[in-house]
Amino acid sequence: MAIIDTEAALHVAHRDNHTHRDVNGGWLRPAVFGAMDGLVSNLALMTGVAGGTAGREAVVVAGLAGLAAGAFSMAAGEYTSVASQRELVEAELDVERSELRKHPKDEERELAALYEARGVEPDLAREVARQLSRDPEQALEIHAREELGIDPGDLPSPTVAAVSSFGSFALGALLPVLPYLLGAHVLWPAVLVALLGLFACGALVAKVTARSWWFSGLRQLALGGAAAGVTYALGTLFGAAV
C-alpha cells in the first residue's frame, strides 16, 4: 500500500508540475515586439529631433506623433500578417477536409504509414488509424497535426495580435514622452526613463525564455541606447547643416 501511495503521490506531483508555457499563442510575440519597437523607435525619433536643436514643443509633438503613427501601423501590420497566415492555414485545412471526404481509405492508410514510420508495429498502426478515422473532425485534427504541424483549434487571432501590438507599442512609445508631459525641458530624463524601460522589458522577456534576466535586459538596453545615440548624432549633424 505504501508503494501504491508513493506512486500516486509521484503521479500527482508530475501532473501538477509538468506544464508548459504558451509558445504558440497570438499575443506574446506582437506584445513583446510592440513594446520594444515603441520604446526604441520613439526614443530614437525624439533624440534625433532634439539633436537637431529643436525646442521642447517640437520634441513632444514628434514623440506623440510617433506614438500614434507607430501604434496604428503596428496594429494594421500585425492584423494583416496574422489574418493572412490564418487564411492560408484554413485553406490547407479545407484541402485536407476534402481529401478525407473523398478518399477516406487513402487518408487512413496515410495516417497508418505515419505511425509506422515512427516505430509503431504495422498491425497496431493500422488499427489505431482505423479507430481515429471514425470521427471526421478528429481525423482532420490528427492529419493537420501530423502533416501540417498545426492545431486547428488553436489558430492565432488577428484581433488579439492587433490589439496586443497596438497597446504594447503605445505603452512603450509613451515612456520617453512622459517626462516631457510631466514638465521636463531637457532630453536626459526622457532618455533615462526609456533606457530603464528597455532594461525592464528585456528582463521581463527573460521570464518566458531561457536567458537570464540581466543578460536580456542589458542586451535590450544596449540596442536601444545605440539606436538613440546614432539618431541623436544624425540629428545634430543635419541640424548643423541646415
Coordinates of all heavy atoms in Angstrom, one line a residue, residues 4 14 25 36 39 42 53 56 78 85 99 124 151 166-167 176 186 191 216 228 230-231:
I4 N 2.0 1.9 -3.5 CA 1.0 2.5 -4.3 C 0.7 3.9 -4.0 O 0.6 4.8 -4.9 CB -0.3 1.7 -4.1 CG1 -0.1 0.2 -4.6 CG2 -1.5 2.4 -4.8 CD1 -1.3 -0.6 -4.4
H14 N 3.9 15.0 -10.6 CA 4.3 15.1 -12.1 C 3.2 15.8 -12.8 O 3.5 16.7 -13.6 CB 4.5 13.7 -12.7 CG 4.8 13.8 -14.1 ND1 6.0 14.2 -14.7 CD2 4.0 13.5 -15.2 CE1 5.9 14.1 -16.0 NE2 4.7 13.7 -16.3
G25 N 0.8 31.0 -28.8 CA -0.3 32.0 -28.7 C -0.1 33.2 -29.7 O 1.0 33.4 -30.1
M36 N 9.0 46.8 -27.4 CA 10.4 47.1 -27.7 C 10.4 48.1 -28.9 O 11.2 49.1 -28.8 CB 11.1 45.8 -28.2 CG 11.2 44.8 -27.1 SD 12.2 45.3 -25.7 CE 12.3 43.7 -24.8
L39 N 9.4 51.7 -27.7 CA 10.5 52.3 -26.9 C 11.6 52.8 -27.8 O 12.0 53.9 -27.8 CB 11.0 51.4 -25.9 CG 10.3 51.4 -24.5 CD1 10.7 50.2 -23.7 CD2 10.7 52.7 -23.8
N42 N 10.5 55.4 -30.8 CA 10.1 56.7 -30.4 C 11.3 57.4 -29.6 O 11.5 58.7 -29.8 CB 8.9 56.7 -29.5 CG 7.9 57.8 -29.7 OD1 7.8 58.3 -30.9 ND2 7.2 58.2 -28.7
T53 N 18.6 70.5 -32.5 CA 18.4 71.7 -31.8 C 17.0 72.2 -31.8 O 16.8 73.4 -31.7 CB 19.4 72.8 -32.3 OG1 19.0 73.2 -33.7 CG2 20.8 72.4 -32.3
R56 N 11.5 72.2 -27.0 CA 10.8 71.2 -26.3 C 9.5 70.9 -27.0 O 9.1 69.7 -27.1 CB 10.4 71.8 -24.9 CG 9.5 70.9 -24.1 CD 9.2 71.5 -22.7 NE 8.3 70.6 -22.0 CZ 7.0 70.6 -22.1 NH1 6.4 71.5 -22.9 NH2 6.3 69.8 -21.3
E78 N 0.2 43.8 -38.0 CA 0.0 42.6 -37.3 C -1.3 41.9 -37.7 O -1.4 40.7 -37.9 CB 0.0 42.8 -35.8 CG 1.4 42.9 -35.2 CD 2.2 41.6 -35.3 OE1 1.7 40.5 -35.4 OE2 3.5 41.8 -35.4
Q85 N -1.9 34.7 -42.6 CA -1.4 33.4 -42.1 C -2.5 32.4 -41.8 O -2.5 31.3 -42.2 CB -0.5 33.5 -40.9 CG 0.1 32.2 -40.4 CD 0.8 32.4 -39.1 OE1 0.8 33.5 -38.5 NE2 1.5 31.4 -38.6
E99 N -10.0 15.9 -48.9 CA -9.4 14.6 -49.1 C -9.9 13.6 -48.2 O -10.1 12.4 -48.6 CB -7.8 14.7 -48.9 CG -7.1 15.5 -50.0 CD -7.3 14.9 -51.4 OE1 -7.0 13.6 -51.4 OE2 -7.6 15.6 -52.3
L124 N -0.7 -2.7 -35.4 CA -1.2 -1.7 -34.4 C -1.4 -0.3 -35.1 O -2.4 0.4 -34.8 CB -0.2 -1.6 -33.3 CG -0.6 -0.6 -32.2 CD1 -2.0 -1.0 -31.6 CD2 0.5 -0.6 -31.1
D151 N -2.5 23.1 -35.0 CA -3.6 22.6 -34.2 C -4.8 23.5 -34.7 O -4.8 24.7 -34.5 CB -3.4 22.9 -32.7 CG -4.6 22.4 -31.9 OD1 -5.6 22.0 -32.5 OD2 -4.5 22.5 -30.6
F166 N -0.9 47.1 -30.7 CA -1.3 48.5 -30.6 C -1.0 49.0 -29.2 O -0.3 50.0 -28.9 CB -2.7 48.7 -30.9 CG -3.2 50.1 -30.8 CD1 -3.2 51.0 -31.9 CD2 -3.6 50.7 -29.6 CE1 -3.6 52.3 -31.9 CE2 -4.0 52.0 -29.5 CZ -4.0 52.8 -30.6
G167 N -1.5 48.2 -28.2 CA -1.4 48.6 -26.8 C 0.0 48.6 -26.3 O 0.5 49.5 -25.6
P176 N 9.3 57.5 -23.3 CA 10.2 58.6 -23.5 C 9.5 60.0 -23.5 O 10.1 61.0 -23.3 CB 10.9 58.3 -24.8 CG 10.0 57.4 -25.5 CD 9.3 56.6 -24.4
V186 N 14.4 69.2 -20.8 CA 15.7 68.7 -21.4 C 15.5 67.3 -21.8 O 14.5 66.6 -21.3 CB 16.8 68.9 -20.5 CG1 17.2 70.4 -20.3 CG2 16.6 68.3 -19.1
V191 N 15.5 60.1 -21.9 CA 16.4 59.0 -22.3 C 16.6 58.1 -21.1 O 16.6 56.9 -21.3 CB 17.8 59.6 -22.6 CG1 18.8 58.5 -22.8 CG2 17.7 60.5 -23.9
S216 N 19.3 39.6 -20.8 CA 18.2 40.0 -21.7 C 18.0 41.5 -21.5 O 17.8 42.3 -22.5 CB 17.0 39.3 -21.5 OG 15.9 39.6 -22.4
A228 N 19.4 55.2 -30.1 CA 19.2 56.6 -29.7 C 20.5 57.5 -30.0 O 20.4 58.6 -30.4 CB 18.8 56.7 -28.2
V230 N 22.9 57.0 -32.2 CA 23.1 57.2 -33.6 C 22.1 58.3 -34.2 O 22.6 59.2 -34.9 CB 22.9 55.9 -34.4 CG1 22.8 56.2 -35.9 CG2 24.0 54.9 -34.1
T231 N 20.9 58.2 -33.8 CA 19.9 59.2 -34.3 C 20.2 60.6 -33.7 O 19.9 61.6 -34.4 CB 18.5 58.8 -34.0 OG1 18.3 58.5 -32.6 CG2 18.1 57.6 -34.8

